[in-house]
Amino acid sequence: MKKILIIVTMIIFGILSCGNKNSADKGEKKLVVGTDGVFPPFGYIEKGELVGFDIDLIKQIGKDLGYEIEMKVQPFDALIPSVNAKNCDIIAAGMTANEDRVKKVDFSNTYYDSGNSVLVKSDNTTIKGIDDLTPDMTVAVQIGTTGADKANELKKQGKIKDVKVNDGVDTCLLQVKNGDVDALIIDKPVAERAVKANKAFKTVGETLDAESYAFAVAKGDKALLEKINKGLENIKKDGTYEKLYKKWFEGK
């Protein structure tokens, strides 16, 4: 997805006028949730509507707690600055609670276990896993992701030639399909969805860097974090989480 499309998407969903100031702290029964909208099946635009596992999940948590949920779309790398600037209350964007991010935001209990995959064209017989990447190869990644961190690490080590950083997964996939890059390193469920949707792709090798996704709030916002954890616990107990999981990972 090109940057101009992301800007249009942000306008559609009102991120350019996002002015939330601690809505939960002020006693308002509304929570503003930031997401990137280019990360299927967790959050993406389909027929002009923001949909995905994260979107359904946070809305159900809000419903359980008695809060209205307002979604705000913006680039992934802007989400942490946005929540810390009080422009949104929560981040729901398939975000890994890694060592670097826990210094900047506070994370909820995890809600999805993941990892990264290497995706290539289906007719590629050279790359069978990450160890087959060579110093003359270029890898695509989505900005701000752990896949980007992995690719940059490989480049620093001299194991690949270059890293192509993109705003959205769609652009990464197009680069792989067109042969502009040799591979894509991206979250496993995103890669699996792409392979299922398009026979032009396949994943190779083992899952890289096991990781878990969590919701994020501004550093020190313990009260909101407790609310999220309670809501997540409730919808797991009543079966809502399982229904959403089956919808997005078994039914799509």
Side-chain angles (χ1 to χ4, degrees), residues 1-13 15 36-38 45 48 73 75 167-168 170-171:
M1 181 178 291
K2 295 184 181 298
K3 186 166 290 186
I4 188 170
L5 182 55
I6 292 178
I7 293 173
V8 171
T9 301
M10 291 191 298
I11 294 173
I12 291 172
F13 287 93
I15 186 62
D36 65 347
V38 288
I45 308 299
V73 177
D167 290 314
D170 287 353
T171 304

Short mmCIF file of all heavy atoms in Angstrom, two decimals, residues 1-13 15 36-38 45 48 73 75 167-168 170-171:
data_model
loop_
_atom_site.label_atom_id
_atom_site.label_comp_id
_atom_site.label_asym_id
_atom_site.label_seq_id
_atom_site.Cartn_x
_atom_site.Cartn_y
_atom_site.Cartn_z
N MET A 1 0.86 -1.20 0.00
CA MET A 1 0.00 0.00 0.00
C MET A 1 0.88 1.24 0.00
O MET A 1 1.76 1.38 0.82
CB MET A 1 -0.90 -0.01 1.23
CG MET A 1 -1.84 1.18 1.29
SD MET A 1 -2.93 1.10 2.72
CE MET A 1 -3.95 -0.27 2.26
N LYS A 2 0.64 2.12 -0.93
CA LYS A 2 1.48 3.30 -1.02
C LYS A 2 1.11 4.30 0.06
O LYS A 2 0.01 4.30 0.58
CB LYS A 2 1.32 3.93 -2.40
CG LYS A 2 1.84 3.03 -3.52
CD LYS A 2 1.75 3.72 -4.85
CE LYS A 2 2.24 2.80 -5.96
NZ LYS A 2 3.62 2.42 -5.82
N LYS A 3 2.07 5.17 0.39
CA LYS A 3 1.88 6.11 1.50
C LYS A 3 0.66 7.00 1.29
O LYS A 3 -0.05 7.32 2.23
CB LYS A 3 3.13 6.96 1.67
CG LYS A 3 3.07 7.86 2.88
CD LYS A 3 4.42 8.43 3.21
CE LYS A 3 5.35 7.38 3.73
NZ LYS A 3 6.63 7.92 4.18
N ILE A 4 0.38 7.37 0.02
CA ILE A 4 -0.77 8.25 -0.21
C ILE A 4 -2.06 7.56 0.18
O ILE A 4 -2.99 8.18 0.67
CB ILE A 4 -0.81 8.70 -1.69
CG1 ILE A 4 -1.89 9.76 -1.87
CG2 ILE A 4 -1.04 7.51 -2.62
CD1 ILE A 4 -1.84 10.44 -3.23
N LEU A 5 -2.13 6.23 -0.04
CA LEU A 5 -3.32 5.49 0.34
C LEU A 5 -3.49 5.46 1.84
O LEU A 5 -4.60 5.56 2.36
CB LEU A 5 -3.25 4.05 -0.21
CG LEU A 5 -4.47 3.16 0.08
CD1 LEU A 5 -5.75 3.83 -0.42
CD2 LEU A 5 -4.28 1.81 -0.60
N ILE A 6 -2.38 5.36 2.58
CA ILE A 6 -2.44 5.40 4.03
C ILE A 6 -2.94 6.75 4.50
O ILE A 6 -3.75 6.86 5.42
CB ILE A 6 -1.07 5.08 4.64
CG1 ILE A 6 -0.71 3.61 4.37
CG2 ILE A 6 -1.06 5.33 6.14
CD1 ILE A 6 0.63 3.21 4.88
N ILE A 7 -2.49 7.84 3.84
CA ILE A 7 -2.94 9.18 4.22
C ILE A 7 -4.44 9.31 3.99
O ILE A 7 -5.17 9.83 4.83
CB ILE A 7 -2.18 10.25 3.40
CG1 ILE A 7 -0.70 10.24 3.82
CG2 ILE A 7 -2.79 11.62 3.63
CD1 ILE A 7 0.17 11.12 2.97
N VAL A 8 -4.92 8.78 2.83
CA VAL A 8 -6.36 8.82 2.56
C VAL A 8 -7.12 8.03 3.61
O VAL A 8 -8.15 8.47 4.12
CB VAL A 8 -6.65 8.26 1.15
CG1 VAL A 8 -8.15 8.10 0.95
CG2 VAL A 8 -6.07 9.17 0.08
N THR A 9 -6.58 6.87 3.96
CA THR A 9 -7.21 6.04 4.99
C THR A 9 -7.28 6.78 6.32
O THR A 9 -8.29 6.73 7.02
CB THR A 9 -6.40 4.73 5.18
OG1 THR A 9 -6.36 4.04 3.94
CG2 THR A 9 -7.08 3.84 6.22
N MET A 10 -6.19 7.48 6.66
CA MET A 10 -6.18 8.22 7.92
C MET A 10 -7.23 9.31 7.91
O MET A 10 -7.88 9.57 8.93
CB MET A 10 -4.79 8.83 8.16
CG MET A 10 -3.73 7.79 8.46
SD MET A 10 -2.18 8.51 9.06
CE MET A 10 -1.69 9.52 7.69
N ILE A 11 -7.42 9.95 6.74
CA ILE A 11 -8.44 11.00 6.66
C ILE A 11 -9.82 10.39 6.85
O ILE A 11 -10.66 10.91 7.57
CB ILE A 11 -8.34 11.73 5.31
CG1 ILE A 11 -7.02 12.50 5.23
CG2 ILE A 11 -9.53 12.67 5.12
CD1 ILE A 11 -6.77 13.11 3.88
N ILE A 12 -10.04 9.23 6.20
CA ILE A 12 -11.34 8.57 6.29
C ILE A 12 -11.68 8.26 7.74
O ILE A 12 -12.79 8.45 8.20
CB ILE A 12 -11.35 7.26 5.47
CG1 ILE A 12 -11.28 7.61 3.97
CG2 ILE A 12 -12.60 6.44 5.76
CD1 ILE A 12 -11.09 6.40 3.09
N PHE A 13 -10.72 7.77 8.48
CA PHE A 13 -10.99 7.35 9.85
C PHE A 13 -10.67 8.42 10.89
O PHE A 13 -10.69 8.16 12.08
CB PHE A 13 -10.21 6.06 10.17
CG PHE A 13 -10.81 4.87 9.50
CD1 PHE A 13 -10.37 4.46 8.26
CD2 PHE A 13 -11.85 4.18 10.09
CE1 PHE A 13 -10.94 3.37 7.63
CE2 PHE A 13 -12.43 3.10 9.46
CZ PHE A 13 -11.98 2.69 8.23
N ILE A 15 -7.89 10.21 11.73
CA ILE A 15 -6.68 10.28 12.55
C ILE A 15 -6.06 11.67 12.49
O ILE A 15 -5.43 12.12 13.45
CB ILE A 15 -5.66 9.21 12.09
CG1 ILE A 15 -4.47 9.19 13.05
CG2 ILE A 15 -5.17 9.47 10.69
CD1 ILE A 15 -4.82 8.83 14.44
N ASP A 36 -2.73 0.38 12.68
CA ASP A 36 -2.12 0.82 11.42
C ASP A 36 -2.98 0.52 10.20
O ASP A 36 -2.81 1.13 9.15
CB ASP A 36 -0.71 0.25 11.25
CG ASP A 36 -0.69 -1.26 11.11
OD1 ASP A 36 -1.73 -1.90 11.39
OD2 ASP A 36 0.36 -1.80 10.73
N GLY A 37 -3.89 -0.42 10.30
CA GLY A 37 -4.81 -0.68 9.21
C GLY A 37 -4.22 -1.33 7.98
O GLY A 37 -4.87 -1.39 6.93
N VAL A 38 -3.00 -1.84 8.06
CA VAL A 38 -2.35 -2.48 6.89
C VAL A 38 -1.68 -3.78 7.31
O VAL A 38 -0.62 -4.14 6.82
CB VAL A 38 -1.32 -1.53 6.22
CG1 VAL A 38 -2.01 -0.41 5.50
CG2 VAL A 38 -0.34 -0.96 7.25
N ILE A 45 -8.01 -2.65 5.86
CA ILE A 45 -9.18 -2.06 5.22
C ILE A 45 -9.73 -3.02 4.18
O ILE A 45 -9.01 -3.45 3.28
CB ILE A 45 -8.84 -0.72 4.54
CG1 ILE A 45 -8.14 0.22 5.52
CG2 ILE A 45 -10.11 -0.07 3.98
CD1 ILE A 45 -8.94 0.59 6.74
N GLY A 48 -13.55 -0.56 2.21
CA GLY A 48 -13.69 0.72 2.87
C GLY A 48 -13.93 0.65 4.37
O GLY A 48 -14.13 1.69 5.01
N VAL A 73 -6.66 5.26 12.64
CA VAL A 73 -5.64 4.62 11.80
C VAL A 73 -4.47 5.56 11.57
O VAL A 73 -4.66 6.73 11.25
CB VAL A 73 -6.25 4.21 10.44
CG1 VAL A 73 -5.18 3.61 9.54
CG2 VAL A 73 -7.39 3.23 10.65
N PRO A 75 0.23 5.28 10.68
CA PRO A 75 1.35 4.38 10.41
C PRO A 75 1.83 3.68 11.68
O PRO A 75 1.79 4.25 12.77
CB PRO A 75 2.43 5.31 9.85
CG PRO A 75 1.66 6.45 9.26
CD PRO A 75 0.49 6.65 10.17
N ASP A 167 5.52 0.86 4.17
CA ASP A 167 4.48 1.19 5.15
C ASP A 167 3.53 0.03 5.40
O ASP A 167 3.08 -0.18 6.52
CB ASP A 167 3.67 2.41 4.69
CG ASP A 167 4.48 3.68 4.75
OD1 ASP A 167 5.15 3.91 5.77
OD2 ASP A 167 4.47 4.45 3.77
N GLY A 168 3.19 -0.71 4.35
CA GLY A 168 2.21 -1.78 4.48
C GLY A 168 2.67 -3.09 3.89
O GLY A 168 3.60 -3.15 3.07
N ASP A 170 1.00 -5.00 1.83
CA ASP A 170 0.65 -5.12 0.42
C ASP A 170 1.81 -4.73 -0.49
O ASP A 170 2.07 -5.40 -1.50
CB ASP A 170 -0.56 -4.24 0.10
CG ASP A 170 -1.85 -4.79 0.68
OD1 ASP A 170 -1.82 -5.92 1.19
OD2 ASP A 170 -2.88 -4.09 0.62
N THR A 171 2.50 -3.66 -0.14
CA THR A 171 3.64 -3.23 -0.93
C THR A 171 4.77 -4.25 -0.88
O THR A 171 5.42 -4.54 -1.89
CB THR A 171 4.15 -1.86 -0.44
OG1 THR A 171 3.08 -0.92 -0.46
CG2 THR A 171 5.28 -1.35 -1.32
#
